[in-house]
Short mmCIF file of all heavy atoms in Angstrom, two decimals:
data_model
loop_
_atom_site.label_atom_id
_atom_site.label_comp_id
_atom_site.label_asym_id
_atom_site.label_seq_id
_atom_site.Cartn_x
_atom_site.Cartn_y
_atom_site.Cartn_z
N ALA A 14 -1.18 18.17 -6.01
CA ALA A 14 -0.03 17.31 -6.29
C ALA A 14 0.07 17.06 -7.78
O ALA A 14 -0.95 16.86 -8.44
CB ALA A 14 -0.18 15.98 -5.55
N ASP A 15 1.31 17.06 -8.32
CA ASP A 15 1.42 16.69 -9.72
C ASP A 15 1.24 15.17 -9.84
O ASP A 15 1.35 14.43 -8.85
CB ASP A 15 2.74 17.16 -10.34
CG ASP A 15 3.97 16.42 -9.85
OD1 ASP A 15 3.95 15.17 -9.83
OD2 ASP A 15 4.95 17.09 -9.49
N PHE A 16 0.96 14.72 -11.03
CA PHE A 16 0.51 13.34 -11.22
C PHE A 16 1.54 12.33 -10.73
O PHE A 16 1.22 11.39 -10.00
CB PHE A 16 0.21 13.10 -12.71
CG PHE A 16 -0.56 11.84 -12.98
CD1 PHE A 16 -1.94 11.87 -13.08
CD2 PHE A 16 0.09 10.65 -13.13
CE1 PHE A 16 -2.65 10.70 -13.31
CE2 PHE A 16 -0.61 9.47 -13.37
CZ PHE A 16 -1.99 9.51 -13.47
N ALA A 17 2.81 12.51 -11.10
CA ALA A 17 3.84 11.53 -10.73
C ALA A 17 4.03 11.47 -9.22
O ALA A 17 4.10 10.38 -8.63
CB ALA A 17 5.15 11.86 -11.43
N ALA A 18 4.11 12.64 -8.57
CA ALA A 18 4.30 12.67 -7.12
C ALA A 18 3.09 12.09 -6.40
O ALA A 18 3.23 11.40 -5.39
CB ALA A 18 4.56 14.10 -6.66
N ALA A 19 1.90 12.38 -6.92
CA ALA A 19 0.68 11.84 -6.30
C ALA A 19 0.66 10.33 -6.37
O ALA A 19 0.30 9.65 -5.40
CB ALA A 19 -0.55 12.44 -6.98
N GLU A 20 1.04 9.79 -7.52
CA GLU A 20 1.02 8.34 -7.64
C GLU A 20 2.03 7.69 -6.70
O GLU A 20 1.75 6.66 -6.08
CB GLU A 20 1.29 7.90 -9.07
CG GLU A 20 1.09 6.40 -9.26
CD GLU A 20 1.37 5.93 -10.66
OE1 GLU A 20 2.36 6.40 -11.24
OE2 GLU A 20 0.64 5.07 -11.16
N ASP A 21 3.21 8.28 -6.56
CA ASP A 21 4.21 7.75 -5.63
C ASP A 21 3.65 7.75 -4.21
O ASP A 21 3.83 6.78 -3.46
CB ASP A 21 5.48 8.59 -5.68
CG ASP A 21 6.27 8.38 -6.98
OD1 ASP A 21 6.01 7.36 -7.66
OD2 ASP A 21 7.11 9.23 -7.30
N ALA A 22 2.98 8.84 -3.85
CA ALA A 22 2.42 8.93 -2.50
C ALA A 22 1.33 7.89 -2.27
O ALA A 22 1.24 7.28 -1.20
CB ALA A 22 1.87 10.34 -2.27
N VAL A 23 0.48 7.69 -3.28
CA VAL A 23 -0.59 6.69 -3.15
C VAL A 23 0.00 5.29 -3.03
O VAL A 23 -0.47 4.47 -2.23
CB VAL A 23 -1.55 6.77 -4.35
CG1 VAL A 23 -2.55 5.60 -4.33
CG2 VAL A 23 -2.32 8.09 -4.32
N GLN A 24 1.04 5.01 -3.79
CA GLN A 24 1.68 3.69 -3.69
C GLN A 24 2.25 3.48 -2.29
O GLN A 24 2.15 2.38 -1.72
CB GLN A 24 2.78 3.55 -4.75
CG GLN A 24 2.27 3.50 -6.18
CD GLN A 24 1.26 2.39 -6.40
OE1 GLN A 24 1.47 1.25 -5.99
NE2 GLN A 24 0.17 2.71 -7.06
N ASP A 25 2.86 4.52 -1.72
CA ASP A 25 3.36 4.41 -0.35
C ASP A 25 2.22 4.13 0.63
O ASP A 25 2.38 3.33 1.57
CB ASP A 25 4.08 5.70 0.06
CG ASP A 25 5.43 5.87 -0.63
OD1 ASP A 25 5.94 4.86 -1.17
OD2 ASP A 25 5.96 6.99 -0.64
N ALA A 26 1.10 4.80 0.42
CA ALA A 26 -0.06 4.59 1.31
C ALA A 26 -0.59 3.16 1.18
O ALA A 26 -1.00 2.56 2.17
CB ALA A 26 -1.15 5.60 0.98
N LEU A 27 -0.59 2.63 -0.03
CA LEU A 27 -1.05 1.26 -0.22
C LEU A 27 -0.14 0.27 0.50
O LEU A 27 -0.61 -0.71 1.11
CB LEU A 27 -1.11 0.94 -1.72
CG LEU A 27 -2.15 1.71 -2.54
CD1 LEU A 27 -2.03 1.35 -4.01
CD2 LEU A 27 -3.56 1.42 -2.05
N VAL A 28 1.17 0.50 0.42
CA VAL A 28 2.11 -0.37 1.14
C VAL A 28 1.84 -0.31 2.64
O VAL A 28 1.84 -1.33 3.33
CB VAL A 28 3.56 0.05 0.83
CG1 VAL A 28 4.54 -0.70 1.73
CG2 VAL A 28 3.89 -0.22 -0.63
N GLU A 29 1.60 0.90 3.15
CA GLU A 29 1.30 1.06 4.57
C GLU A 29 -0.01 0.36 4.94
O GLU A 29 -0.14 -0.25 6.01
CB GLU A 29 1.23 2.55 4.92
CG GLU A 29 1.05 2.86 6.39
CD GLU A 29 2.29 2.55 7.22
OE1 GLU A 29 3.32 2.15 6.63
OE2 GLU A 29 2.22 2.69 8.45
N ALA A 30 -1.00 0.42 4.03
CA ALA A 30 -2.27 -0.24 4.28
C ALA A 30 -2.10 -1.75 4.39
O ALA A 30 -2.70 -2.40 5.25
CB ALA A 30 -3.28 0.11 3.18
N VAL A 31 -1.29 -2.31 3.50
CA VAL A 31 -1.03 -3.75 3.55
C VAL A 31 -0.40 -4.13 4.88
O VAL A 31 -0.68 -5.20 5.44
CB VAL A 31 -0.11 -4.16 2.37
CG1 VAL A 31 0.35 -5.60 2.54
CG2 VAL A 31 -0.84 -3.98 1.05
N ARG A 32 0.42 -3.24 5.43
CA ARG A 32 1.09 -3.53 6.71
C ARG A 32 0.16 -3.36 7.90
O ARG A 32 0.17 -4.18 8.83
CB ARG A 32 2.30 -2.60 6.86
CG ARG A 32 3.17 -2.91 8.07
CD ARG A 32 4.32 -1.93 8.19
NE ARG A 32 3.86 -0.60 8.55
CZ ARG A 32 3.60 -0.22 9.82
NH1 ARG A 32 3.73 -1.09 10.82
NH2 ARG A 32 3.20 1.01 10.07
N VAL A 33 -0.69 -2.33 7.87
CA VAL A 33 -1.44 -1.94 9.06
C VAL A 33 -2.84 -2.54 9.12
O VAL A 33 -3.30 -2.96 10.19
CB VAL A 33 -1.53 -0.39 9.14
CG1 VAL A 33 -2.47 0.05 10.25
CG2 VAL A 33 -0.14 0.19 9.34
N TRP A 34 -3.53 -2.59 8.00
CA TRP A 34 -4.95 -2.93 8.01
C TRP A 34 -5.29 -4.31 8.58
O TRP A 34 -6.33 -4.45 9.22
CB TRP A 34 -5.54 -2.78 6.61
CG TRP A 34 -5.74 -1.35 6.19
CD1 TRP A 34 -5.26 -0.23 6.81
CD2 TRP A 34 -6.47 -0.89 5.07
NE1 TRP A 34 -5.62 0.89 6.12
CE2 TRP A 34 -6.38 0.53 5.05
CE3 TRP A 34 -7.20 -1.52 4.05
CZ2 TRP A 34 -6.99 1.30 4.07
CZ3 TRP A 34 -7.80 -0.75 3.07
CH2 TRP A 34 -7.71 0.65 3.08
N PRO A 35 -4.49 -5.34 8.30
CA PRO A 35 -4.89 -6.66 8.84
C PRO A 35 -5.09 -6.65 10.35
O PRO A 35 -5.99 -7.31 10.87
CB PRO A 35 -3.71 -7.56 8.44
CG PRO A 35 -3.18 -6.93 7.20
CD PRO A 35 -3.30 -5.45 7.44
N ALA A 36 -4.29 -5.87 11.09
CA ALA A 36 -4.41 -5.82 12.55
C ALA A 36 -5.32 -4.69 13.02
O ALA A 36 -5.92 -4.78 14.10
CB ALA A 36 -3.02 -5.64 13.18
N ASP A 37 -5.44 -3.65 12.22
CA ASP A 37 -6.22 -2.48 12.64
C ASP A 37 -6.95 -1.88 11.45
O ASP A 37 -6.59 -0.82 10.94
CB ASP A 37 -5.27 -1.44 13.27
CG ASP A 37 -6.03 -0.25 13.85
OD1 ASP A 37 -7.25 -0.38 14.10
OD2 ASP A 37 -5.40 0.82 14.04
N PRO A 38 -8.00 -2.53 10.95
CA PRO A 38 -8.71 -2.03 9.76
C PRO A 38 -9.40 -0.70 10.05
O PRO A 38 -10.00 -0.53 11.12
CB PRO A 38 -9.74 -3.13 9.46
CG PRO A 38 -9.91 -3.85 10.76
CD PRO A 38 -8.59 -3.78 11.47
N PRO A 39 -9.31 0.27 9.14
CA PRO A 39 -9.93 1.58 9.38
C PRO A 39 -11.44 1.54 9.15
O PRO A 39 -11.95 0.72 8.39
CB PRO A 39 -9.24 2.46 8.32
CG PRO A 39 -8.94 1.52 7.20
CD PRO A 39 -8.61 0.19 7.85
N ARG A 40 -12.12 2.46 9.81
CA ARG A 40 -13.57 2.58 9.60
C ARG A 40 -13.88 3.17 8.22
O ARG A 40 -14.88 2.84 7.60
CB ARG A 40 -14.18 3.46 10.69
CG ARG A 40 -14.12 2.85 12.08
CD ARG A 40 -14.79 3.78 13.09
NE ARG A 40 -14.74 3.22 14.44
CZ ARG A 40 -15.22 3.85 15.52
NH1 ARG A 40 -15.76 5.06 15.39
NH2 ARG A 40 -15.12 3.28 16.70
N ASP A 41 -13.03 4.05 7.78
CA ASP A 41 -13.21 4.72 6.48
C ASP A 41 -11.95 4.49 5.63
O ASP A 41 -11.01 5.29 5.68
CB ASP A 41 -13.44 6.22 6.68
CG ASP A 41 -13.55 6.99 5.37
OD1 ASP A 41 -13.84 6.34 4.33
OD2 ASP A 41 -13.33 8.21 5.38
N PRO A 42 -11.90 3.39 4.87
CA PRO A 42 -10.68 3.07 4.11
C PRO A 42 -10.21 4.18 3.18
O PRO A 42 -9.02 4.49 3.13
CB PRO A 42 -11.09 1.81 3.33
CG PRO A 42 -12.17 1.19 4.15
CD PRO A 42 -12.92 2.35 4.73
N LYS A 43 -11.15 4.81 2.46
CA LYS A 43 -10.74 5.85 1.53
C LYS A 43 -10.17 7.05 2.28
O LYS A 43 -9.12 7.60 1.91
CB LYS A 43 -11.91 6.29 0.65
CG LYS A 43 -11.55 7.41 -0.32
CD LYS A 43 -12.73 7.84 -1.17
CE LYS A 43 -12.38 9.05 -2.01
NZ LYS A 43 -13.53 9.52 -2.82
N GLY A 44 -10.83 7.46 3.36
CA GLY A 44 -10.33 8.58 4.14
C GLY A 44 -8.95 8.30 4.71
O GLY A 44 -8.08 9.19 4.73
N TRP A 45 -8.74 7.07 5.15
CA TRP A 45 -7.43 6.67 5.69
C TRP A 45 -6.36 6.79 4.60
O TRP A 45 -5.29 7.34 4.83
CB TRP A 45 -7.53 5.24 6.21
CG TRP A 45 -6.35 4.75 6.98
CD1 TRP A 45 -6.21 4.71 8.34
CD2 TRP A 45 -5.13 4.19 6.44
NE1 TRP A 45 -4.99 4.18 8.68
CE2 TRP A 45 -4.30 3.86 7.54
CE3 TRP A 45 -4.66 3.97 5.16
CZ2 TRP A 45 -3.04 3.30 7.37
CZ3 TRP A 45 -3.40 3.41 4.98
CH2 TRP A 45 -2.60 3.08 6.08
N LEU A 46 -6.65 6.26 3.41
CA LEU A 46 -5.69 6.30 2.32
C LEU A 46 -5.39 7.74 1.89
O LEU A 46 -4.23 8.10 1.61
CB LEU A 46 -6.20 5.49 1.12
CG LEU A 46 -6.16 3.97 1.27
CD1 LEU A 46 -6.91 3.31 0.11
CD2 LEU A 46 -4.73 3.46 1.32
N VAL A 47 -6.43 8.58 1.81
CA VAL A 47 -6.22 9.97 1.43
C VAL A 47 -5.30 10.67 2.43
O VAL A 47 -4.36 11.38 2.06
CB VAL A 47 -7.57 10.72 1.33
CG1 VAL A 47 -7.35 12.23 1.23
CG2 VAL A 47 -8.36 10.23 0.12
N THR A 48 -5.58 10.45 3.73
CA THR A 48 -4.77 11.09 4.76
C THR A 48 -3.32 10.65 4.70
O THR A 48 -2.39 11.47 4.71
CB THR A 48 -5.36 10.77 6.15
OG1 THR A 48 -6.69 11.28 6.23
CG2 THR A 48 -4.51 11.40 7.26
N VAL A 49 -3.09 9.34 4.64
CA VAL A 49 -1.72 8.82 4.62
C VAL A 49 -1.01 9.24 3.33
O VAL A 49 0.16 9.65 3.36
CB VAL A 49 -1.73 7.29 4.77
CG1 VAL A 49 -0.32 6.72 4.58
CG2 VAL A 49 -2.26 6.90 6.14
N ALA A 50 -1.70 9.15 2.20
CA ALA A 50 -1.07 9.52 0.93
C ALA A 50 -0.72 11.01 0.91
O ALA A 50 0.35 11.40 0.41
CB ALA A 50 -2.00 9.18 -0.23
N TRP A 51 -1.61 11.84 1.47
CA TRP A 51 -1.33 13.27 1.49
C TRP A 51 -0.13 13.58 2.37
O TRP A 51 0.71 14.43 2.05
CB TRP A 51 -2.56 14.03 1.97
CG TRP A 51 -2.43 15.52 1.83
CD1 TRP A 51 -2.31 16.42 2.83
CD2 TRP A 51 -2.39 16.27 0.62
NE1 TRP A 51 -2.21 17.69 2.34
CE2 TRP A 51 -2.26 17.63 0.97
CE3 TRP A 51 -2.46 15.93 -0.73
CZ2 TRP A 51 -2.19 18.64 0.04
CZ3 TRP A 51 -2.40 16.93 -1.67
CH2 TRP A 51 -2.27 18.27 -1.29
N ARG A 52 -0.01 12.86 3.50
CA ARG A 52 1.16 13.03 4.36
C ARG A 52 2.44 12.65 3.62
O ARG A 52 3.47 13.34 3.71
CB ARG A 52 1.02 12.18 5.61
CG ARG A 52 0.03 12.73 6.63
CD ARG A 52 -0.16 11.75 7.76
NE ARG A 52 -1.06 12.28 8.77
CZ ARG A 52 -1.64 11.54 9.70
NH1 ARG A 52 -1.41 10.23 9.74
NH2 ARG A 52 -2.44 12.08 10.60
N ARG A 53 2.37 11.54 2.91
CA ARG A 53 3.55 11.10 2.15
C ARG A 53 3.92 12.13 1.09
O ARG A 53 5.10 12.41 0.85
CB ARG A 53 3.28 9.74 1.48
CG ARG A 53 3.10 8.59 2.44
CD ARG A 53 4.41 8.25 3.16
NE ARG A 53 4.31 7.02 3.91
CZ ARG A 53 3.85 6.91 5.15
NH1 ARG A 53 3.47 8.02 5.79
NH2 ARG A 53 3.79 5.75 5.76
N PHE A 54 2.90 12.69 0.43
CA PHE A 54 3.18 13.71 -0.59
C PHE A 54 3.83 14.94 0.04
O PHE A 54 4.81 15.48 -0.49
CB PHE A 54 1.89 14.11 -1.30
CG PHE A 54 2.03 15.36 -2.13
CD1 PHE A 54 2.78 15.36 -3.30
CD2 PHE A 54 1.45 16.55 -1.71
CE1 PHE A 54 2.94 16.51 -4.05
CE2 PHE A 54 1.61 17.71 -2.46
CZ PHE A 54 2.35 17.69 -3.63
N LEU A 55 3.30 15.38 1.17
CA LEU A 55 3.87 16.55 1.83
C LEU A 55 5.31 16.29 2.27
O LEU A 55 6.19 17.15 2.11
CB LEU A 55 3.01 16.93 3.04
CG LEU A 55 1.63 17.52 2.72
CD1 LEU A 55 0.89 17.80 4.01
CD2 LEU A 55 1.73 18.76 1.88
N ASP A 56 5.55 15.11 2.82
CA ASP A 56 6.91 14.77 3.25
C ASP A 56 7.88 14.80 2.07
O ASP A 56 8.98 15.34 2.16
CB ASP A 56 6.93 13.38 3.90
CG ASP A 56 6.24 13.37 5.25
OD1 ASP A 56 6.02 14.48 5.82
OD2 ASP A 56 5.90 12.28 5.73
N ALA A 57 7.44 14.20 0.96
CA ALA A 57 8.31 14.15 -0.22
C ALA A 57 8.53 15.55 -0.79
O ALA A 57 9.62 15.90 -1.25
CB ALA A 57 7.69 13.25 -1.29
N THR A 58 7.50 16.38 -0.75
CA THR A 58 7.60 17.73 -1.29
C THR A 58 8.60 18.56 -0.48
O THR A 58 9.45 19.27 -1.04
CB THR A 58 6.22 18.41 -1.28
OG1 THR A 58 5.33 17.66 -2.08
CG2 THR A 58 6.32 19.83 -1.82
N ARG A 59 8.49 18.45 0.84
CA ARG A 59 9.38 19.24 1.70
C ARG A 59 10.81 18.75 1.61
O ARG A 59 11.76 19.52 1.83
CB ARG A 59 8.87 19.16 3.14
CG ARG A 59 7.51 19.86 3.32
CD ARG A 59 7.07 19.82 4.77
NE ARG A 59 5.76 20.47 4.92
CZ ARG A 59 4.67 19.86 5.37
NH1 ARG A 59 4.72 18.59 5.70
NH2 ARG A 59 3.53 20.50 5.46
N ALA A 60 10.98 17.44 1.34
CA ALA A 60 12.33 16.89 1.29
C ALA A 60 13.05 17.15 -0.02
O ALA A 60 14.26 17.00 -0.12
CB ALA A 60 12.28 15.38 1.54
#
C-alpha cells in the first residue's frame, strides 16, 4: 500500500475498532487491526 492509502485504511480500522471492541474485544488487537485495515485498503483500491 502507498503511504497515503495505508493511513486512510488504518484510520478506518481504528474507527471500526472504537465501534466494535467495547462489546467484542479481539484476542489479538494488532492482528484484528491489520486484517480490517487491509480489507479497507483493498476495497478502496478496487473502487
